[in-house]
Amino acid sequence: MHLTPSQLDKAVIAIRTLLPLEYPADAILRRFFQENPKLGAYDRTFIAETAFGILRHRLFLEHIVDSVTPRSLLLAYLVRFQGVNLRELKAWARESEIKWLPSIKAVKIVSQPLSIQAELPDWLVEKLQHFMPDAEILNLGLSLQKTAPLDLRVNTLLAKREQVLEALLQDDIRAELMPFSPCGIRLLDKPAINRHPLFLSGKIEVQDEGSQLLGYLLAPKRGEMVADFCAGAGGKTLLLGTLMHSKGRLYAFDVSEKRLNNLKPRLKRSGLSNIHIQRIVNENDLKIKRLSGKFDRVLVDAPCSGLGTLRRNPDLKWRQSAQSIVELKAKQASILSAAAGLLKPGGRLVYATCSFLPEENQEIIADFRTKNPEFDLLNCSELLAEQRITVNTGEFLQLSPLTHQTDGFFAATLARKKP
């Protein structure tokens, strides 16, 4: 790694801008790069990867440096986690810094408290200890410190998965078939895939394998009425439309006009014609009430803590709290209740989050079923097995980066009883 004083200076400024974490880290960095247009591609990559690396290891770094500043965090991260030699830093680092940096390399991580080893804040470790032994918490934390792979979903309306894989390999992009998703390809590096002809022509989309499996769990059929209740930018909506072979009616509901606007160019590329984008004010919008009892399938990818995505979004460890989980639980229960009202008898609903906390997952489902005995709980492993997908996590789908190399998705499948 060849580092210049200019790169290091810019990295310090970026980290200083980032660390209050008033907004999502990726949004802060995007704005930083917009305000510094003269930065080259290599500089931007170095700054982004370093900033996210510091966020992943922030608890350990803050624990071992004497004075926590953007500069000290940068130096400690480079020496400890990037293996940068002190000689490479001599042109930039102060003499006092060169003296204390060797001690950073000598600190034994195994001697640190569990929260620092796992890189999880105390409030989160305390929650996990209610249902996980410390050894499992540590393994989970270590898996969340790794960077996530770049997962692709092949748009099977426009291309076959094997053909896409072959085209990528011919372009010297290292890739392999996913182990679970029938339409998934995993890249082994991080190329600028959004500039590739396969992406621009709508044949591939970026989507985590766990997110793809939610579509197969819902298993919509041609000609059905289907809703993606919290559609966001529409990654799962597009998959559902593809599984329906663009036949039937698929509603993409969301409260955010900005997110739904991001779906529009993706929809145009996809070749789908059965998707109807609908902005709603909230889960109790009149548009929802008017459609009560009309849907065959409903996907609820509920707003959640996002803790299952810490590989991609390490800033969430500090942007969430025990109190924010309490507030999310109330919202999740309300959304699930409203979405369930859309189902006709015999209809199927998938409730999903990218969290591993039972209070956002199993407890929400248990409370819902107590209040709504007309809903049965289906076995997720059996439903996926019907489609020749072997992910045996039992009644619920519970994915983890440690076991499945996906984000930490949870899903439960409910069916409305026929009279």
Side-chain angles (χ1 to χ4, degrees):
M1 183 184 292
H2 176 69
L3 300 171
T4 67
S6 173
Q7 283 173 336
L8 295 166
D9 286 337
K10 282 294 184 185
V12 169
I13 296 168
I15 295 160
R16 185 179 296 121
T17 306
L18 183 69
L19 278 185
L21 292 175
E22 294 174 2
Y23 301 98
D26 56 351
I28 296 171
L29 281 178
R30 192 160 50 244
R31 184 167 181 177
F32 176 81
F33 292 139
Q34 287 169 353
E35 293 171 352
N36 293 271
K38 292 183 180 179
L39 287 170
Y42 178 79
D43 295 335
R44 293 157 70 97
T45 300
F46 167 72
I47 290 169
E49 290 182 353
T50 301
F52 272 82
I54 288 170
L55 288 177
R56 287 190 181 93
H57 300 287
R58 183 180 176 183
L59 285 171
F60 177 74
L61 292 171
E62 291 189 347
H63 185 70
I64 61 172
V65 300
D66 291 333
S67 176
V68 178
T69 65
R71 185 181 174 95
S72 66
L73 292 175
L74 173 62
L75 284 166
Y77 172 75
L78 291 174
V79 169
R80 176 75 193 212
F81 293 101
Q82 292 299 303
V84 173
N85 194 293
L86 294 179
R87 287 193 301 272
E88 296 177 69
L89 297 170
K90 274 198 171 178
W92 185 74
R94 302 172 187 129
E95 191 175 333
S96 58
E97 292 167 339
I98 294 293
K99 285 180 179 176
W100 65 257
L101 280 171
S103 66
I104 299 296
K105 297 179 90 166
V107 176
K108 288 185 168 57
I109 186 73
V110 292
S111 66
Q112 305 304 315
L114 174 61
S115 61
I116 290 172
Q117 288 189 60
E119 282 291 344
L120 299 172
D122 289 337
W123 69 267
L124 182 51
V125 170
E126 287 170 15
K127 282 187 176 296
L128 294 174
Q129 284 175 327
H130 289 301
F131 63 96
M132 289 175 75
D134 285 359
E136 282 187 28
I137 295 171
L138 177 57
N139 287 335
L140 175 65
L142 292 173
S143 71
L144 291 168
Q145 291 170 35
K146 296 175 182 175
T147 58
L150 185 55
D151 285 358
L152 304 179
R153 176 182 62 81
V154 176
N155 179 356
T156 51
L157 278 186
L158 302 179
K160 294 188 183 302
R161 180 164 75 150
E162 289 72 18
Q163 291 171 341
V164 169
L165 179 64
E166 187 179 341
L168 291 169
L169 294 173
Q170 284 179 351
D171 289 341
D172 294 325
I173 295 174
R174 298 196 305 145
E176 61 188 18
L177 298 180
M178 283 179 178
F180 305 119
S181 171
C183 63
I185 289 175
R186 177 160 293 149
L187 302 189
L188 306 183
D189 302 302
K190 297 286 179 69
I193 203 68
N194 61 335
R195 296 180 200 149
H196 196 279
L198 287 169
F199 182 88
L200 298 172
S201 62
K203 292 178 180 176
I204 57 172
E205 282 278 347
V206 175
Q207 188 175 22
D208 182 79
E209 185 172 26
S211 176
Q212 295 179 35
L213 290 180
L214 299 182
Y216 288 96
L217 205 50
L218 192 68
K221 297 175 181 173
R222 302 174 196 233
E224 288 187 330
M225 276 270 282
V226 179
D228 187 351
F229 201 77
C230 306
K236 285 177 281 294
T237 310
L238 297 174
L239 171 56
L240 297 177
T242 303
L243 294 175
M244 295 168 72
H245 297 271
S246 203
K247 307 281 195 222
R249 202 165 180 85
L250 172 55
Y251 284 86
F253 294 115
D254 204 89
V255 297
S256 169
E257 191 166 354
K258 182 180 178 182
R259 285 197 293 265
L260 290 175
N261 282 338
N262 289 335
L263 167 56
K264 291 175 182 176
R266 303 174 77 188
L267 175 56
K268 189 175 180 181
R269 288 196 304 267
S270 72
L272 293 166
S273 59
N274 67 330
I275 295 176
H276 302 271
I277 297 172
Q278 293 273 327
R279 183 181 173 272
I280 54 176
V281 177
N282 54 44
E283 65 271 21
N284 298 310
D285 193 300
L286 274 176
K287 292 188 188 101
I288 301 298
K289 295 186 184 297
R290 287 185 190 128
L291 292 166
S292 177
K294 290 185 164 51
F295 284 79
D296 298 285
R297 319 245 170 180
V298 177
L299 174 62
V300 181
D301 185 10
C304 67
S305 64
L307 295 170
T309 69
L310 287 178
R311 296 181 306 168
R312 304 177 196 278
N313 306 298
D315 52 308
L316 286 173
K317 288 183 275 193
W318 293 279
R319 296 182 55 241
Q320 298 290 7
S321 65
Q323 180 55 37
S324 69
I325 303 298
V326 172
E327 294 164 5
L328 282 165
K329 283 167 58 181
K331 189 70 174 169
Q332 288 157 352
S334 178
I335 287 173
L336 175 56
S337 178
L342 291 172
L343 273 188
K344 61 173 66 168
R348 178 185 294 185
L349 181 148
V350 171
Y351 171 86
T353 73
C354 42
S355 171
F356 39 72
L357 294 179
E359 56 201 289
E360 296 187 80
N361 299 331
Q362 291 92 336
E363 291 177 22
I364 295 289
I365 296 300
D367 182 61
F368 173 82
R369 291 192 67 212
T370 299
K371 295 172 182 173
N372 300 274
E374 72 275 22
F375 282 85
D376 287 325
L377 185 65
L378 306 183
N379 186 296
C380 289
S381 294
E382 292 174 3
L383 293 174
L384 289 173
E386 289 171 8
Q387 301 179 73
R388 300 180 182 177
I389 300 172
T390 304
V391 188
N392 190 13
T393 63
E395 199 166 38
F396 301 111
L397 180 70
Q398 184 71 75
L399 302 172
S400 82
L402 181 62
T403 309
H404 306 100
Q405 287 74 54
T406 68
D407 287 342
F409 274 99
F410 167 89
T413 308
L414 300 162
R416 186 168 220 147
K417 296 175 184 176
K418 293 181 179 178

